[in-house]
Amino acid sequence: MRFTLRDAHLIDATTDIVRGDIIIDGTRIQAVKCPGDSPTEQDNIIDAMGMLVMPGFIDIHTHGGGGYNLHTTDAEEIRAYARWAPETGVTSFLLAVVGVPGSIPEQQLRAAVEVLNDRVMEAEPLGIHLEGPYINVVRRGAHQPAWLRMPDESETEQLLALTQDHLRLVTLAPELPGALAMIRRLVDAGITVSMGHTDATYEQAQEAIKLGVTHVTHCFNAMRPLLHRAPGPLAALARAHKVYGELIADGVHVHPGAMNALVKLLGPERTIVITDALAGAGLHDATFDFAGQPARVIDGAAHLADGTITGSVLTMDQALRNMLLMTAVSLQQAVGMLTLNPAHPAQVSRRKGCLKVGYDADLLIFDQAMTLQATFCRGEVAFAADEWRERLSALSNA
């Protein structure tokens, strides 16, 4: 299908065209036109005057949403999440898998691989994010002690074989015995390695970065804090100009003042906005489970039965609004944090995250109130609000 969104405000991390056209042909962006360029001549022209068009959001740290878990043995549950996610602006994501008692999460990884080997029509799963089980019990957060394991050379090879080249991101604690060898092996395999749920000192974090760690999981949360005589991982991150840092942008996991401080510390180019969402994201007053643990929403955050704060109930469209309300970033900078920046650790920055010719036609349409009106996944309408459903109906019939 070929169509044009006309007279929209086109914005991504590197482009800001106040009034332009974007032409979609099949699954890719065919052209991006500025005022003064030759006019578009085709039948399927959609008036997008007054609308913001940006790349689809890439959530590289999510455990689910809409009532669906990604850490699951049921591949259909993952597919259901992929159908729901475009309602929140997510057009691609990493499947987060955590630990299980007594072993590696083999059955959950097999379910993830099954989905990744399929063709998904809605939000695209880009690979697996293995959060643990190689994390520090001192900074485990909502991860149960029975899930945790020490890095092991043979187990690393088992994980690589199980995931069939779909492993994209691994969160681990670099201070654990055997972790440095694991970092080397994963980096050699082309996998993005992140430090998180870690009690690493500043020096240990620096050593991990030298070995190839290029990512830090949910900054401030579940890590040694930044103190003036014991600066920990965040100070090492600040000095490492090629390392990205995640931010849960719900204003609960990280105070808005600290959110703004992190962006100042890293710059917008190295900050990645995530949800760290659980199955309850997008639901009201929900009770749900996180890897078998009952959880419920209290004051806008998910809590376990013992009161421990766990993942969020944030959605990516709300995360964009939060960044604009709670920090000093511009719209263009905020958009980059949800699109181009996460494309790098997910290893898709050559086809996703920008409004560029040849890139996947993963697009979002927002109105001036920053309300999501429509989501396109690889050129297909995956979500539309009532007004836009009618406006886009011609594409469905084309």
Side-chain angles (χ1 to χ4, degrees):
M1 184 193 317
R2 192 170 187 269
F3 64 93
T4 298
L5 296 174
R6 170 158 287 176
D7 291 334
H9 182 174
L10 307 177
I11 190 162
D12 68 12
T14 61
T15 300
D16 189 351
I17 301 171
V18 175
R19 186 175 177 182
D21 296 355
I22 186 164
I23 303 171
I24 307 306
D25 192 357
T27 63
R28 302 292 179 91
I29 298 172
Q30 185 188 58
V32 177
K33 295 197 171 187
C34 302
D37 290 347
S38 57
T40 302
E41 295 183 5
Q42 66 172 71
D43 293 332
N44 293 322
I45 295 178
I46 298 164
D47 180 12
M49 174 75 79
M51 295 291 158
L52 294 161
V53 173
M54 63 188 71
F57 299 145
I58 304 172
D59 196 352
I60 60 169
H61 192 156
T62 175
H63 300 275
Y68 308 109
N69 285 294
L70 295 177
H71 176 92
T72 178
T73 59
D74 181 4
E76 185 50 42
E77 186 171 12
I78 300 171
R79 295 186 184 101
Y81 170 84
R83 291 190 290 271
W84 169 80
E87 296 179 19
T88 69
V90 172
T91 56
S92 55
F93 61 98
L94 291 182
L95 283 150
V97 175
V98 297
V100 297
S103 68
I104 61 173
E106 182 172 348
Q107 296 306 312
Q108 289 81 2
L109 290 172
R110 290 189 188 280
V113 168
E114 179 183 333
V115 173
L116 287 159
N117 286 334
D118 289 344
R119 183 171 181 268
V120 179
M121 291 304 295
E122 291 85 10
E124 181 182 357
L126 301 173
I128 296 167
H129 170 202
L130 184 63
E131 187 182 11
Y134 313 105
I135 59 178
N136 196 316
V137 67
V138 176
R139 303 291 179 184
R140 64 183 178 85
H143 296 245
Q144 292 300 299
W147 301 354
L148 309 188
R149 303 177 70 78
M150 290 296 172
D152 176 83
E153 184 177 347
S154 63
E155 206 161 276
T156 304
E157 297 305 323
Q158 185 182 359
L159 285 169
L160 291 172
L162 267 173
T163 52
Q164 300 179 19
D165 296 323
H166 291 303
L167 191 58
R168 294 289 175 270
L169 177 64
V170 174
T171 292
L172 53 76
E175 71 276 13
L176 296 180
L180 299 184
M182 188 176 202
I183 291 170
R184 291 188 191 96
R185 179 66 182 96
L186 293 172
V187 170
D188 286 345
I191 295 161
T192 302
V193 182
S194 181
M195 60 179 135
H197 290 275
T198 175
D199 201 41
T201 64
Y202 173 73
E203 292 76 16
Q204 288 170 326
Q206 281 193 313
E207 183 178 7
I209 290 169
K210 288 177 183 176
L211 289 176
V213 166
T214 56
H215 197 88
V216 176
T217 298
H218 43 50
C219 293
F220 293 112
N221 300 116
M223 64 174 55
R224 184 183 287 254
L226 176 64
L227 302 175
H228 65 296
R229 291 195 180 96
L234 284 177
L237 167 62
R239 291 193 64 181
H241 300 303
K242 294 184 179 179
V243 181
Y244 290 90
E246 293 179 356
L247 174 62
I248 305 174
D250 61 356
V252 178
H253 281 77
V254 181
H255 186 281
M259 289 170 57
N260 201 57
L262 184 72
V263 176
K264 294 287 187 182
L265 192 69
L266 303 184
E269 300 81 12
R270 291 201 289 139
T271 305
I272 295 175
V273 169
I274 61 163
T275 61
D276 195 15
L278 302 183
L283 306 178
H284 297 290
D285 301 322
T287 299
F288 50 95
D289 76 88
F290 169 54
Q293 301 179 96
R296 64 192 181 101
V297 179
I298 303 174
D299 296 329
H303 294 259
L304 300 180
D306 64 2
T308 301
I309 192 170
T310 179
S312 81
V313 289
L314 180 67
T315 58
M316 286 290 264
D317 57 331
Q318 184 60 50
L320 176 66
R321 291 188 287 268
N322 287 351
M323 291 302 294
L324 296 173
L325 288 169
M326 298 178 184
T327 75
V329 301
S330 68
L331 174 61
Q332 185 173 38
Q333 290 169 334
V335 168
M337 294 177 200
L338 282 78
T339 57
L340 180 59
N341 293 3
H344 290 291
Q347 303 174 26
V348 292
S349 60
R350 294 185 178 182
R351 67 181 180 95
K352 290 185 184 290
C354 289
L355 302 179
K356 287 186 177 180
V357 173
Y359 273 54
D360 289 352
D362 292 344
L363 305 175
L364 307 178
I365 300 175
F366 278 84
D367 63 20
Q368 293 297 315
M370 298 307 299
T371 300
L372 181 65
Q373 296 297 320
T375 302
F376 295 84
C377 293
R378 298 173 304 290
E380 297 287 337
V381 179
F383 164 76
D386 290 342
E387 177 187 346
W388 274 82
R389 187 177 299 115
E390 181 177 349
R391 200 180 298 194
L392 297 172
S393 60
L395 298 181
S396 302
N397 300 325

